[in-house]
Amino acid sequence: MSQSPSSSQSTATVSIPVKRAPVPVRLLESYAMPLLTVLVFVFFAVFPASSTAFPTLNNLYVIFGSQAVVALVAVAALFPLVCGYFDFSIGATAVMAQVMCAGFMANLGLPLWLAIILPILMGALVGVVNGFFVTRLGMSPFVTTLGMSMLIAGLMIWYTGGQTIVSGIDRAIFSFGSARWLGLPAVFFVTLAVAAIAWYFFTHTPFGRSLYAIGSSATAAKLVGVPVTKNVWWSFIIAGTIAGSAGILQLARQGSATASDGGILLFQALAAVFLGATAIRPGFFNVVGTIIGAIFVSISVSGLTLSGASGWASNVFNGIALLAAVGLSTYLGKRKRQGAST
Amino acid sequence: MTSGQQHAEAAGRVPAASDASSLALRVDRLNKDFAGTRALNNASLHVRRGTVHALLGGNGSGKSTTIKILAGVYPADSGELEIFGAGYDLGSYTPATAQQAGLRFVHQDLGLFNELSIEENFALDAGYPLRGPGIDWRSLRRHVSDLLAEYDLPLDPGQPVNSLRPSDQTMVAIVRALQDQTSAGDRILVLDEPTARLAAHESELLLEQVRRRSELGQTVVIVSHRLREVLSVAHDFTVYRDGRVAGALVAAKPTEDQLVELMAGGSAGALRPTGQASHAGTDVVFSVRGLESGPVRGIDFDVHRGEILGLTGLVGSGRSSVLKAIFGQYRPSAGQMTLNGAPYAPHDVGDAVDAGVAMVPEDRAREAAFPDQSVSENFAVATLGENFTRGWMPRGRERDTARSLIRRFGVKVAGPDALFSSMSGGNQQKTIIARWLNRSPQLLLLDEPTQGVDVMSRADIYAVIRQAAADGCAVVVASSDPSEINALADRTLVLSRGRISAEVRAGELDVEGLNRLVLRERPADPDPDPEPNA
């Protein structure tokens, strides 16, 4: 039973099987989300209860308009998430920018451009502080940003006295908020532009690529010369800045500002990000997937509402979407780490 | 004497030895397929009662698969199994059957709860003894201290496991696995790579314990790739290659070379020293004077162009600390370094990389791998800045680079898009070395470059390191394996308690001599905090 050892050529290292899913399966996996989005759209377009109001240009305008802000917050959330950190303060940061932009014009009479730039800088400052706590002091990002979120929300309620700011805001910002380009809301194009820049950062700059490396293994990233601390810190600053811009867009769309913790904005955004991690590059957070995820959530909620579902239905849907998305992306990520297939 | 004859002869002896009563474990005609790949092909394993049996083979040879089948983790496709004379049907064999039959496994990852005490580790395995509704701590302690005494382990059952020395941790795992045995003869202890995580002297302590147990009649199966250790303790050897038995040696005293020959099947030439094949030049690429960092004191050395410098020593001797200081991971507290004649003081790893220094760290999985990313991305991560041209990072170019690196370094992988984690350990290590050599570094640092790598890949990795030196790179290899140092280094520095205790040129000492030099530890410094300029 034993062979002569010296003659036979060893193939020991060749015999490790590299399993690879067939091409159609991989394509389906990457494009299941976009496909599902189209299917949901078609369904509500022909479903009798919603078929009259759903597939109209006006409804599309509502869908894309309402989702522009959520999608922008989702893009903000992407930066820390790609390197493996949660930022729960971006919802509150967006609301802060919305309130402060309105407040600077209504209470201090600042010109529009300054009232836009200052809140965005404040958002960046929140990111600087978050980044300091998380990278320099090594505090848990989860609890740190949750605490930051409550702190900001509290300060904003103190600033507004619980009142909604309606008067004294420059009309120009509203007209931008309700403007249509090519039949779609102008704010949606702002989101698309920011998303395009974010896509460029993540896929075509050393900085963005290093964030994925940090997310994969921070220790290994450090040992190939990636400035891990600096880049993670920057990811929080970028998140704060984009969240601040999202707040300005929200003011443009709503025309008024009310202090809140921004929880709904945050969780809808997280649902979009995690849904996005199941598409395009399955198992990885990515910009294109995130935008599709945001549109998917928006179309589904709009369809449900127009079919006569009550107000709670959208929360239930968001909750289910978030759970399903986290479950799926965890599963895909785990499978990747175990090296099962691509 | 030709080793081939010896093996054929040794293999021929197996049937004679397999008389049923003397065998504790008999496996025959074992077959196992994984997705069309034959992992085991008519493999066999005959373990005599009361002996230490070494199961050897490279990665992918089928030795781990056999162990997993014996543990009931994998089902076998076909085969015969007898444990202590009782036949078992492999079709319905489960981990519980293995346990009942008397097989006890201690894996490389010991499965101990590090923060908990020894006695709690025992209780979590076998259950807490109860008195009324509560835990009977006193009887637990008595049970555990009796067991520890039986094994001559002078340990306190209340001690947390992470306060024990590494060899004692392994012993605790062994005693825990055997805690229900009544006499040494009724269990088979299977040790899967028991010394992989241990330094040389820790391994010796552990193997001494194993030897003592076997004298008391304990049957032991050791799976290991540290041949020298296995040789010192095993009575019988079974060597697997490509899922077949390449040789079965009963009551034999083979040499290390013979075993390597059996495992590698004739391609083990690269494991021997290079001798005069050194590429060392005379110009100094890197030099360090008076380096102090962590446990390391007063380190002076030069590395020349094309030279492979070995750094060896026991665990805690400061091997890794020297490399980490050079690579900018730690800031040295004193000392000067120069690279190509210019002062070199890296602020962080990025500085070191920019200056042309590269390091392959010891813990591949944690410190070098991006497991969920593709092979191509794992290469590209070290050249992100270089890949960014005219505002873009073209993936096509990265893949082309990856393809040529895969070819150049003989990495066995499906392609540049395959996941890093889909490769075997040896190919992962080649990928990481290739990642750095792609940058054509001035100075290449390698920390335990072949840890957890099979014999076949080890030869490939040695060839790669030699080629890097031949191309003019200065190489520093830190390793705890004397045979690795002996095979690779043109010159070796032996570190002992943070200082250089000896310098050896290639050919001056053999593995044995080198090992003796390493083990002869320098006495500790009298002053725990010596003057900085000592």
Side-chain angles (χ1 to χ4, degrees), chain A residues 123-207:
Chain A
L125 186 68
V126 172
V128 171
V129 176
N130 278 334
F132 175 79
F133 284 151
V134 170
T135 62
R136 279 296 151 101
L137 304 186
M139 286 160 60
S140 149
F142 203 95
V143 181
T144 304
T145 56
L146 210 53
M148 185 60 77
S149 172
M150 288 170 77
L151 172 68
I152 295 170
L155 287 177
M156 285 307 108
I157 290 170
W158 170 65
Y159 178 73
T160 58
Q163 305 292 308
T164 300
I165 303 175
V166 248
S167 56
I169 304 171
D170 195 324
R171 304 299 312 167
I173 196 165
F174 303 148
S175 49
F176 176 73
S178 50
R180 292 185 186 206
W181 298 345
L182 306 171
L184 293 172
V187 288
F188 180 69
F189 291 96
V190 174
T191 299
L192 270 190
V194 174
I197 297 170
W199 173 85
Y200 170 77
F201 260 96
F202 277 122
T203 50
H204 283 286
T205 64
F207 170 75

Side-chain angles (χ1 to χ4, degrees), chain B residues 233-294:
Chain B
V233 63
H235 305 99
D236 300 352
F237 301 83
T238 299
V239 180
Y240 280 12
R241 192 171 77 237
D242 300 341
R244 298 164 185 274
V245 177
L249 297 89
V250 178
K253 284 269 167 239
T255 66
E256 189 178 357
D257 277 353
Q258 284 169 335
L259 288 180
V260 168
E261 195 71 23
L262 276 174
M263 288 164 72
S267 62
L271 295 180
R272 303 214 174 80
T274 38
Q276 57 272 63
S278 163
H279 305 284
T282 48
D283 43 339
V284 174
V285 171
F286 175 80
S287 79
V288 56
R289 292 288 174 272
L291 181 75
E292 283 186 21
S293 173

Side-chain angles (χ1 to χ4, degrees), chain A residues 68-111:
Chain A
V69 177
V70 170
L72 204 52
V73 175
V75 171
L78 261 179
F79 281 82
L81 269 177
V82 163
C83 23
Y85 293 84
F86 267 102
D87 187 346
F88 284 133
S89 68
I90 46 176
T93 306
V95 172
M96 172 190 79
Q98 184 184 1
V99 167
M100 292 315 293
C101 180
F104 281 143
M105 289 187 277
N107 301 344
L108 298 180
L110 292 185

Side-chain angles (χ1 to χ4, degrees), chain A residues 1-2 5 8 11-12 15-16 200 203-205 209 212-213 216-217 220 222-224 281 284 336-337 339, chain B residues 7 11 37 44 241-242 244-245 329 349 366-367 370 372-373 377 388 391-393 395 398 421 424 435:
Chain A
M1 76 186 115
S2 70
S8 66
T11 52
S15 64
I16 295 114
Y200 170 77
T203 50
H204 283 286
T205 64
R209 297 282 301 275
Y212 279 109
S216 175
S217 168
K222 195 174 165 214
L223 288 181
V224 292
R281 278 189 84 197
F284 292 96
K336 286 216 170 284
R337 269 184 292 284
Chain B
H7 306 141
T37 312
S44 63
R241 192 171 77 237
D242 300 341
R244 298 164 185 274
V245 177
Q329 250 178 293
V349 173
R366 219 176 60 80
E367 300 188 317
F370 300 96
D372 54 353
Q373 304 216 337
E377 284 168 314
F388 184 63
W392 295 98
M393 305 181 78
R395 296 301 194 278
E398 282 178 18
S421 54
S424 69
R435 169 200 287 172

Side-chain angles (χ1 to χ4, degrees), chain B residues 185-223:
Chain B
D186 60 358
R187 297 281 182 268
I188 302 171
L189 176 65
V190 182
L191 301 175
D192 192 358
E193 300 283 1
T195 61
R197 289 176 179 280
L198 301 182
H201 67 297
E202 292 284 339
S203 306
E204 300 238 322
L205 289 175
L206 178 68
L207 293 171
E208 183 49 45
Q209 291 269 20
V210 170
R211 209 171 290 129
R212 232 178 300 157
R213 296 315 296 171
S214 93
E215 276 159 17
L216 296 173
Q218 180 76 53
T219 311
V220 184
V221 177
I222 288 195
V223 181

Side-chain angles (χ1 to χ4, degrees), chain A residues 12 30 35 70-71 96 151 197 208 220 231 265 287 291 294 341:
Chain A
S30 298
L35 197 66
V70 170
M96 172 190 79
L151 172 68
I197 297 170
N231 289 5
L265 208 50
V287 175
I291 299 295
S341 76

